[in-house]
């Protein structure tokens, strides 16, 4: 019996030791499991943080790329504007040179005819009053005188071309002044065409040598008509150039 009790005590002791060992193993396993779970949580947290950082980095990179693209676009625009400004300067310089050439050409053309007009005015200024009165006294004037006076009156804007109207014109106190102060620039194209038709049709009436034989006073007037027509032709020639300069 004592041996049996000894066996039981030994068995209980061994069982207890085995149970204690199992409990310790279980405790260690539970501790390891807790540590593993904690580690997993930390890893997941670190992954989440890493993802957040990645998103922030990607956003920052996108913003940086957009900023660089914007800067590049502005630089490109600035370069384009700079090129446009340079081209504009070149165009303006070219147009300025063209304008200078046009002005010089216009000036040369006008100056080439101005002496002719001035000479005709000078001749008119020397017409004697007595010579005009002599023409006025004619009851039936030569056709050449009528032709010349028709050209004069039409240029001056007088539409009545009867002999009575011509005599009235010649009798005015300031008749020579109205001719000398006439501004050739105001001649209308229609009037110029009509006077040119008279001069072309009655060319002998406006020939310097031929008209001088008819009337001393009519000769300077004929020259004045021809000079104004020449001036009108020059103005018509340079008018398109002047229009470009004024545009």
């Amino acid at each position: 019996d004592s041996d049996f009790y000894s066996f039981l005590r030994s068995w209980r002791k061994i069982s207890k030791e085995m149970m204690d060992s199992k409990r310790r193993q279980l405790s260690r396993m539970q501790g390891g499991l807790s540590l593993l779970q904690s580690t997993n949580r930390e890893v997941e947290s670190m992954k989440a943080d890493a993802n957040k950082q990645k998103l922030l980095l990607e956003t920052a990179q996108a913003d940086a790329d957009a900023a660089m693209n914007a800067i590049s676009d502005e630089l490109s625009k600035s370069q384009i504007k700079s090129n446009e400004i340079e081209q504009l300067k070149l165009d303006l310089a070219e147009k300025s040179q063209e304008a200078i050439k046009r002005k010089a050409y216009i000036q040369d053309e006008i100056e080439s005819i101005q002496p002719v007009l001035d000479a005709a005015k000078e001749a008119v200024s020397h017409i004697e009053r007595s010579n005009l009165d002599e023409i006025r006294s004619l009851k039936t004037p030569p056709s050449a005188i009528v032709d010349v006076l028709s050209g004069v009156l039409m240029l001056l804007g007088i539409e009545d071309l009867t002999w009575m109207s011509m005599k009235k014109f010649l009798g005015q106190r300031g008749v020579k002044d109205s001719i000398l102060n006439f501004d050739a620039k105001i001649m209308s194209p229609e009037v110029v065409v009509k006077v040119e038709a008279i001069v072309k049709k009655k060319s002998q009436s406006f020939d310097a040598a031929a008209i001088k034989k008819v009337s001393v006073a009519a000769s300077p007037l004929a020259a004045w008509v021809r000079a104004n027509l020449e001036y009108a032709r020059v103005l018509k020639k340079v008018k398109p150039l002047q229009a470009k300069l004024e545009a």
Side-chain angles (χ1 to χ4, degrees):
D1 292 336
S2 61
D3 291 337
F4 179 73
Y5 286 118
S6 295
F7 171 76
L8 287 174
R9 284 193 298 269
S10 297
W11 183 83
R12 289 178 64 184
K13 182 181 180 182
I14 292 170
S15 295
K16 182 181 180 182
E17 289 176 353
M18 289 179 66
M19 289 295 292
D20 291 341
S21 177
K22 292 295 183 182
R23 287 191 186 96
R24 287 192 296 272
Q25 288 179 3
L26 180 60
S27 178
R28 287 195 297 271
M29 289 177 67
Q30 288 177 340
L33 180 60
S34 296
L35 179 61
L36 181 60
Q37 291 174 341
S38 175
T39 302
N40 284 337
R41 286 194 295 271
E42 290 180 2
V43 169
E44 291 299 322
S45 177
M46 291 175 66
K47 284 183 178 179
D49 290 341
N51 288 331
K52 289 180 180 178
Q53 292 297 325
K54 182 180 179 182
L55 289 174
L56 291 174
L57 182 60
E58 289 176 350
T59 301
Q61 184 63 48
D63 291 342
D65 291 342
M68 287 301 297
N69 289 335
I71 292 172
S72 297
D73 290 343
E74 289 300 320
L75 288 174
S76 297
K77 290 177 182 178
S78 297
Q79 184 61 42
I80 291 172
K81 289 181 179 179
S82 177
N83 293 338
E84 289 177 350
I85 291 172
E86 288 301 319
Q87 186 60 47
L88 181 60
K89 288 180 179 178
L90 292 174
D91 292 343
L92 288 175
E94 184 178 348
K95 289 180 179 179
S96 178
Q97 289 298 318
E98 290 178 359
I100 291 173
K101 290 179 181 179
R102 288 195 188 105
K103 285 182 180 179
Y105 177 78
I106 292 170
Q107 190 66 28
D108 289 344
E109 287 294 315
I110 292 176
E111 287 181 354
S112 68
I113 191 59
Q114 191 63 47
V116 177
L117 189 58
D118 291 341
K121 287 183 177 181
E122 180 69 17
V124 170
S125 69
H126 289 95
I127 297 176
E128 297 291 339
R129 178 76 248 182
S130 59
N131 297 133
L132 295 177
D133 290 338
E134 182 180 345
I135 294 175
R136 286 181 63 231
S137 66
L138 297 173
K139 290 183 179 181
T140 306
S143 59
I145 291 179
V146 173
D147 295 335
V148 171
L149 289 175
S150 294
V152 172
L153 267 61
M154 290 174 69
L155 290 179
L156 294 175
I158 301 172
E159 297 181 359
D160 187 353
L161 303 181
T162 64
W163 177 237
M164 185 64 68
S165 174
M166 293 176 182
K167 289 175 65 175
K168 181 180 178 181
F169 170 73
L170 293 174
Q172 294 175 358
R173 180 176 297 179
V175 60
K176 288 199 299 183
D177 290 334
S178 62
I179 295 173
L180 296 174
N181 296 327
F182 175 70
D183 185 359
K185 296 184 181 69
I186 68 171
M187 288 184 291
S188 69
E190 294 79 13
V191 169
V192 171
V193 169
K194 290 178 181 179
V195 177
E196 284 180 333
I198 293 174
V199 173
K200 183 177 181 180
K201 185 177 181 180
K202 303 293 183 67
S203 59
Q204 276 297 106
S205 299
F206 292 88
D207 178 75
I211 190 64
K212 191 173 183 179
K213 294 177 181 179
V214 177
S215 169
V216 175
S219 179
L221 295 176
W224 180 81
V225 171
R226 291 196 308 272
N228 277 283
L229 292 179
E230 282 295 322
Y231 196 84
R233 279 191 282 272
V234 170
L235 291 181
K236 183 179 180 181
K237 183 179 179 182
V238 301
K239 186 176 180 179
L241 297 177
Q242 287 178 322
K244 287 183 179 181
L245 288 176
E246 295 169 0

